[in-house]
Amino acid sequence: MSASFHGRDLFAPVAARLGIGETPAAVAVQAHTLRYPDWPDDLAEIVYVDRYGNAMTGLRGQAAATSARLSIGGKVLAHAETFSAVPRGTAFWYVNSNGLVEIAVNQGRADRELGLAIGATVAIIA
């Protein structure tokens, strides 16, 4: 669950299921059924850039401690929980609502300001 979308990620789907008479257990899926043996656990590169210029990586959020820094394109970024936790124009990384590491710029476009594109490699610096 993301730091900023609790209502969307947890409460709204559960409320919708309860509203149509289902129980949360009726829609539960075992995590192991979603894994594919040929897929890597983590992919240390940009896999998607959204329309706001935020760059999603293939790294699971649990792969990086919040004290870690992320290196990409010759830049080193610190972690922040939310956009408002850093000054305007500051690049940072956070764990998005999908549980993946994402790179953003507060009130800016990470893709343009950092020169990011799909396939760019990232590294976690402990």
Side-chain angles (χ1 to χ4, degrees):
M1 190 164 58
S2 71
S4 56
F5 293 109
H6 292 24
R8 179 196 72 192
D9 296 343
L10 177 63
F11 302 120
V14 171
R17 296 292 186 175
L18 292 172
I20 61 172
E22 292 183 15
T23 64
V27 295
V29 176
Q30 292 293 323
H32 64 83
T33 63
L34 302 176
R35 295 188 45 89
Y36 297 89
D38 58 334
W39 288 10
D41 286 337
D42 291 290
L43 184 60
E45 63 184 52
I46 302 299
V47 297
Y48 178 74
V49 177
D50 70 16
R51 67 184 190 158
Y52 303 106
N54 301 322
M56 185 187 309
T57 73
L59 294 170
R60 292 170 297 156
Q62 60 191 322
T66 57
S67 60
R69 302 214 179 277
L70 194 73
S71 173
I72 185 161
K75 312 240 181 349
V76 177
L77 309 176
H79 172 266
E81 284 293 323
T82 61
F83 284 70
S84 64
V86 298
R88 181 180 183 169
T90 300
F92 65 100
W93 72 269
Y94 69 102
V95 178
N96 69 19
S97 61
N98 294 318
L100 297 172
V101 170
E102 190 161 324
I103 300 165
V105 172
N106 185 15
Q107 297 184 31
R109 294 186 60 97
D111 61 343
R112 292 182 189 155
E113 294 181 34
L114 301 174
L116 303 180
I118 292 172
T121 59
V122 298
I124 298 170
I125 303 170

